[in-house]
């Protein structure tokens, strides 16, 4: 169902943590309508609503999903809860923007995308990097053939994060580990530029709690191209990325997955283009704008990050986890 452009889409925020605040700030500052917030704690919900000037503070996720004044729900909980939260919202007739990693595995991702499609609703992965202006321009440059045939993608996401074994990032019960939290960025980038790989070769080092401390993978493609991706949660790096072609390369600066400059070089090192376009806030408004565009157009899938690709990315991470011996409770759960 198309929604007239003059009718505001009303957002509900499911969760009140850091990423929920970052997304909500970009929504509010860029003129989106944030109608309600829901939390498992009424105190947390009210504090969040007061912070951002949100009209309604719900004391549960169920109440948020049932709110008739909400059209879209942004799911901002930790990824072990994404499946249940997204299904709750979809079954209530709400479109969803779901944080990454989208789910714990490809099976859960397929549940969400299938339900959304059956109901004519949008289920968009909140891989905000895909929608940033510099990534839009990079895809244009590649399509234009400026750097020739793409031979290699290299991308890292390494951070020095809390070492507390009970912290979410180190806790297997909460989907901890570098791969799902950090590795999803370079993996999604590889998919963006080269598509799904033919084969994957992965290795990792594990923490004492049993999640991956650092993981690296090589994606191999039928045409001989490669993507080299890596992530770590206990050692920071410059977090640059590069796309290498037969006629040149694109060097994306620190931190590549944020709205940063990049430079296009010819094969002999000549600067062909320097791109530096500042954005307002963190830049998370662009993914929200894409979701609203899809809803208004009466579409459930766009070209930048269609649901099928989100499922394929989760399947690639499933394969990496199989190779490095990392499993979660969600992998063995039987869903009725």
């Amino acid at each position: 169902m198309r929604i007239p452009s003059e009718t505001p889409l009303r957002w509900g925020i499911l969760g009140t943590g850091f990423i929920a605040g970052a997304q909500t700030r970009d929504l509010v500052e860029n003129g989106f309508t944030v109608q309600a917030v829901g939390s498992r704690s009424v105190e947390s919900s009210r504090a969040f609503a007061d912070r951002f000037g949100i009209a309604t503070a719900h004391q549960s996720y169920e109440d948020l999903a049932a709110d008739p004044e909400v059209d879209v729900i942004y799911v901002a909980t930790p990824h072990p809860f994404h499946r249940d939260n997204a299904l709750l919202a979809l079954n209530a007739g709400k479109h969803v923007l779901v944080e990454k990693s989208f789910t714990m595995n490809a099976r859960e991702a397929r549940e969400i995308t299938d339900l959304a499609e059956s109901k004519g609703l949008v289920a968009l992965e909140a891989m905000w990097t895909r929608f940033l202006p510099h990534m839009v321009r990079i895809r244009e440059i590649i399509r234009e053939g400026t750097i020739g045939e793409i031979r290699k993608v290299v991308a890292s996401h390494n951070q020095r994060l809390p070492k507390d074994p009970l912290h979410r990032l180190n806790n297997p019960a909460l989907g901890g580990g570098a791969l799902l939290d950090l590795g999803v960025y370079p993996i999604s980038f590889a998919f963006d530029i080269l598509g799904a790989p033919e084969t994957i070769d992965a290795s990792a080092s594990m923490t004492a709690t049993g999640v991956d401390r650092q993981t690296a993978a090589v994606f191999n493609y039928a045409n001989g191209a490669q993507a080299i991706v890596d992530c770590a949660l206990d050692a920071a790096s410059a977090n640059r990325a590069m796309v290498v072609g037969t006629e040149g390369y694109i060097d994306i600066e620190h931190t590549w997955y944020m709205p940063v400059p990049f430079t296009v070089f010819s094969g002999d090192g000549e600067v062909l283009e320097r791109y530096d376009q500042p954005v307002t806030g963190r830049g998370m408004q662009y993914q929200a704008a894409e979701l609203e565009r899809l809803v208004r157009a009466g579409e459930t899938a766009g070209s930048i990050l269609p649901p099928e690709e989100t499922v394929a990315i989760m399947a690639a991470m499933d394969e990496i986890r199989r190779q490095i011996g990392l499993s979660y409770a969600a992998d063995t759960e039987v869903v009725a």
Side-chain angles (χ1 to χ4, degrees), residues 213-249:
R213 176 176 60 80
Q214 65 180 43
T215 295
V218 177
F219 287 7
N220 306 294
Y221 295 84
N223 66 353
Q226 293 177 315
I228 302 168
V229 298
D230 67 90
C231 58
L233 52 70
D234 66 347
S237 74
N239 292 330
R240 297 178 78 103
M242 190 174 297
V243 181
V244 180
T246 55
E247 302 299 326
Y249 62 95

Side-chain angles (χ1 to χ4, degrees), residues 287-308:
Q287 62 184 359
E290 171 64 3
L291 186 143
E292 290 204 358
R293 185 194 69 79
L294 290 170
V295 172
R296 295 187 192 287
E299 300 173 359
T300 57
S303 61
I304 296 177
L305 184 52
E308 286 299 319

Side-chain angles (χ1 to χ4, degrees), residues 132-143:
L132 291 171
H134 75 298
M135 288 297 171
V136 173
R137 179 58 188 142
I138 285 170
R139 288 191 290 270
E140 290 173 348
I141 290 167
I142 291 169
R143 284 196 301 269

Side-chain angles (χ1 to χ4, degrees), residues 28-249:
V28 171
E29 292 181 354
N30 287 278
F32 293 82
T33 301
V34 182
Q35 177 66 31
V37 60
S39 174
R40 292 172 298 180
S41 158
V42 67
E43 291 80 15
S44 177
S45 186
R46 285 174 179 161
F48 193 92
D50 290 343
R51 178 181 169 195
F52 293 104
I54 299 171
T56 307
H58 291 292
Q59 62 182 349
S60 71
Y61 300 151
E62 290 77 12
D63 287 350
L64 175 66
D67 188 338
E69 299 298 312
V70 170
D71 304 302
V72 182
I73 289 181
Y74 168 59
V75 176
T77 49
H79 38 265
F81 310 109
H82 288 178
R83 172 194 172 270
D84 289 350
N85 297 157
L87 294 182
L88 172 70
L90 290 166
N91 279 316
K94 316 299 186 187
H95 306 280
V96 291
L97 178 65
V98 183
E99 261 307 322
K100 84 309 287 164
S101 61
F102 192 69
T103 50
M104 294 298 292
N105 53 44
R107 173 184 56 77
E108 290 187 344
R110 176 62 69 189
E111 285 185 77
I112 293 172
T113 59
D114 281 355
L115 180 61
E117 181 64 25
S118 72
K119 291 181 172 291
L121 297 168
V122 176
L124 182 65
E125 180 185 357
M127 177 47 73
W128 62 296
T129 302
R130 285 278 185 113
F131 306 94
L132 291 171
H134 75 298
M135 288 297 171
V136 173
R137 179 58 188 142
I138 285 170
R139 288 191 290 270
E140 290 173 348
I141 290 167
I142 291 169
R143 284 196 301 269
E144 292 162 359
T146 303
I147 62 171
E149 179 186 347
I150 305 305
R151 292 289 176 82
K152 187 177 295 183
V153 170
V154 182
S156 297
H157 190 178
N158 302 305
Q159 295 194 35
R160 192 165 180 240
L161 299 172
K163 293 182 172 60
D164 180 357
L166 298 179
H167 190 280
R168 175 184 68 82
L169 287 163
N170 303 305
N171 187 343
L174 293 177
L179 180 65
L180 294 191
D181 250 280
L182 308 178
V184 64
Y185 282 88
I187 289 169
S188 184
F189 184 53
F191 268 77
D192 193 10
I193 305 302
L194 290 171
E198 190 170 70
T199 62
I200 299 173
D201 298 304
S203 65
S205 298
M206 312 303 281
T207 69
T209 60
V211 300
D212 64 310
R213 176 176 60 80
Q214 65 180 43
T215 295
V218 177
F219 287 7
N220 306 294
Y221 295 84
N223 66 353
Q226 293 177 315
I228 302 168
V229 298
D230 67 90
C231 58
L233 52 70
D234 66 347
S237 74
N239 292 330
R240 297 178 78 103
M242 190 174 297
V243 181
V244 180
T246 55
E247 302 299 326
Y249 62 95

